[in-house]
Amino acid sequence: MTFPPLVAPGPVLPPERAARFARHLPLPGIGAEGQRRIASARVLVIGAGGLGAPVLQYLAAAGVGHITVMDDDRVERTNLQRQVLHGEADLGTPKAESARRAIAALDPQIHVTAHAERLRPDNALALFRAHDLVLDGADNFATRYLVNDAAELTGTPVVWGSILRFAGQLSVFWPGRGPMLRDLHPDIPDEDSIADCATGGVFGALCGVVGSAMAVEALKLICGVGEPLVGRLARYDALAGRWSELRFGIDPDRPAVADLQEVTLRCAVPSTGRPDDISAGEVAARLRSAEPGLVVVDVRTADEREAGSIEGSHHVPLDRVLAQGWSALVAVLGAEAHDGGDIVITCQGGIRSARAIDALAASAPSGTSLRNLAGGMSAYSG
C-alpha cells in the first residue's frame, strides 16, 4: 500500500545542493521535488547508538534538512564495534554531541539539534509535535513504549527497529493508517525479561543492515514513494542471510492510548536507586585498598565475564542463584559468605544483580549485608 508524501516540498535547491544530490534526481518518485521534500523534513532520531548511527549517517547524506538526535548516554569503547558515528576521540563524549559533530562534518548545511538526555513523558509530546517523523533506535522497553504512546497521541509516524545477536527487525507504525507497536506486543515487558546487547551480544555489521533499512523507510515516507512497512514486520537473520516478513493488523479490542500514565508509572527512570546500592567508585576504592570484608559476586554469564570482570570476583550465574538461593553463594564463597562483610552483587547494568539480591535475601542469614553494584559492570568499567 502506498501513502501520500509526508512532507511538503521546500524551496528550489540552489545549484550546489542539487549537484550534491544528483544521483537522487533521476529516481522515479524522488526527483527534484522529492529532494526538496527531504530538505524540508524535520526528523527526530531516538538513540545515537548501534541503529541510530547508520540512521543518522544516511539521513544526513540524503539531505534531511532538520535532524534532532536524542541520547542520554556517553561514548564508551565497547560501542565502537558497531556505533560507526563515533571514534576513539569521542570516548566520554555525550553520544548526541558526538553525532552532531559527525553530521556537521558530513554536511554543515544540515540543521542538527542534539539533546543529551533521555526521552521522557514530560518532553515526548512536544518533541513529537515539532517533527514530521520519528525513528526509534532505543535499546530499552521504557523508551520503545513511550515512543509508541506519544506517537499515537500526536499522530506522528514512527520507523522502529531492534537488534540482538544475529537478528534484527523493523516496521513502520503510523497512527490512523496502520497498526502500532501495542497491536504487535500489547504489554510492556519487564526490563530484564529479554537479554539486551550488553548481555546477549550483537553482531556489529548487523546494525548497519537494519539501521540503513530504517533510513530507507524514513525517506520513502517523506517522499511518498514505494510501499512502507506499515502493518509488516521485516525480520533479518544475518547468519542465514535471509529476510522474512510477518504481517499484522490493528487489534480491535486494544484500548486506544489516552495518556502517558502507564509509561510514566511503569517505565520512568527512577530518580533514586535501591537502598542497598553501592557505587562503582566506592567498590573500586575499597578493592584498591585491599580492605577486608568485601566480596564481589558476578551473576552474569560465563561469556559475559570473558569480555571483562572485576579482578577477584566470584562467579555465581543468576539462574543458579534463582534456583538455589543462599546455598548457591555458600557453595562458591565458603567461609567468606559468613564473615559479616559486604557481599557486592554485580551484573552488566544493575538489573539482574537486583533480582539476585531479592532472591538471596529470602534465605540469607539475618544480618547479611548484600549490596547492589549500581550501574553494574557498565558503571565499573566506564
Side-chain angles (χ1 to χ4, degrees):
M1 181 185 298
T2 59
F3 295 93
L6 184 63
V7 179
V12 174
L13 299 178
E16 68 275 9
R17 296 298 285 174
R20 185 183 185 102
F21 307 111
R23 297 301 181 268
H24 269 173
L25 303 186
L27 293 176
I30 307 293
E33 183 175 287
Q35 193 62 49
R36 289 161 54 199
R37 297 183 192 277
I38 295 171
S40 294
R42 305 184 67 88
V43 176
L44 171 63
V45 179
I46 308 297
L51 291 176
V55 161
L56 288 162
Q57 284 180 313
Y58 272 105
L59 292 182
V64 170
H66 305 266
I67 297 175
T68 299
V69 55
M70 197 162 203
D71 196 308
D72 68 337
D73 203 0
R74 291 177 178 268
V75 180
E76 300 176 5
R77 183 162 279 112
T78 58
N79 302 147
L80 304 184
Q81 158 255 14
R82 64 200 178 281
Q83 299 180 16
V84 292
L85 268 182
H86 316 296
E88 288 281 343
D90 301 309
L91 294 177
T93 302
K95 288 182 183 178
E97 178 59 25
S98 174
R100 186 197 64 78
R101 292 198 307 238
I103 294 171
L106 178 64
D107 187 348
Q109 293 196 39
I110 292 175
H111 300 280
V112 184
T113 302
H115 291 295
E117 59 180 314
R118 184 180 288 256
L119 185 74
R120 306 183 308 272
D122 64 351
N123 63 23
L125 297 180
L127 280 165
F128 278 44
R129 291 188 179 109
H131 293 84
D132 301 303
L133 177 66
V134 175
L135 285 93
D136 179 13
D139 61 358
N140 63 87
F141 294 124
T143 304
R144 291 173 187 169
Y145 279 82
L146 174 56
V147 168
N148 176 90
D149 292 359
E152 194 162 328
L153 290 171
T154 60
T156 310
V158 174
V159 179
W160 172 89
S162 69
I163 48 172
L164 182 64
R165 295 178 178 151
F166 296 98
Q169 53 188 357
L170 69 149
S171 189
V172 172
F173 305 129
W174 196 341
R177 294 183 180 271
M180 302 293 290
L181 175 62
R182 285 186 182 272
D183 293 303
L184 185 63
H185 301 295
D187 300 318
I188 305 174
D190 292 334
E191 199 60 56
D192 62 349
S193 61
I194 299 174
D196 60 14
C197 292
T199 59
V202 62
F203 197 44
L206 171 68
C207 302
V209 175
V210 178
S212 297
M214 291 172 67
V216 168
E217 291 301 306
L219 295 169
K220 287 161 57 180
L221 291 171
I222 290 168
C223 296
V225 63
E227 183 180 355
L229 286 170
V230 175
R232 297 185 291 146
L233 180 71
R235 300 176 292 188
Y236 179 66
D237 181 339
L239 291 182
R242 184 177 299 117
W243 285 94
S244 61
E245 183 178 291
L246 170 70
R247 291 185 177 269
F248 63 102
I250 296 173
D251 179 357
D253 298 322
R254 177 179 71 84
V257 173
D259 52 43
L260 298 180
Q261 182 176 359
E262 183 187 6
V263 289
T264 299
L265 294 175
R266 289 282 309 276
C267 302
V269 177
S271 57
T272 58
R274 293 168 57 99
D276 53 18
D277 274 354
I278 184 171
S279 71
E282 181 179 347
V283 172
R286 291 173 65 178
L287 290 175
R288 283 195 302 268
S289 67
E291 176 184 326
L294 179 70
V295 178
V296 179
V297 174
D298 191 336
V299 299
R300 297 178 300 161
T301 65
D303 287 343
E304 289 177 90
R305 279 176 61 84
E306 286 185 6
S309 62
I310 297 175
E311 185 176 356
S313 63
H314 301 270
H315 185 214
V316 187
L318 177 63
D319 56 359
R320 184 175 176 185
V321 172
L322 297 179
Q324 301 175 12
W326 177 249
S327 62
L329 258 65
V330 173
V332 174
L333 300 183
E336 286 186 291
H338 303 286
D339 68 2
D342 287 333
I343 300 176
V344 177
I345 311 296
T346 185
C347 62
Q348 189 64 37
I351 295 175
R352 286 173 291 166
S353 54
R355 287 185 64 198
I357 288 176
D358 292 341
L360 291 167
S363 54
S366 177
T368 302
S369 177
L370 296 168
R371 307 292 301 276
N372 183 55
L373 180 57
M377 285 301 298
S378 294
Y380 189 87
S381 59

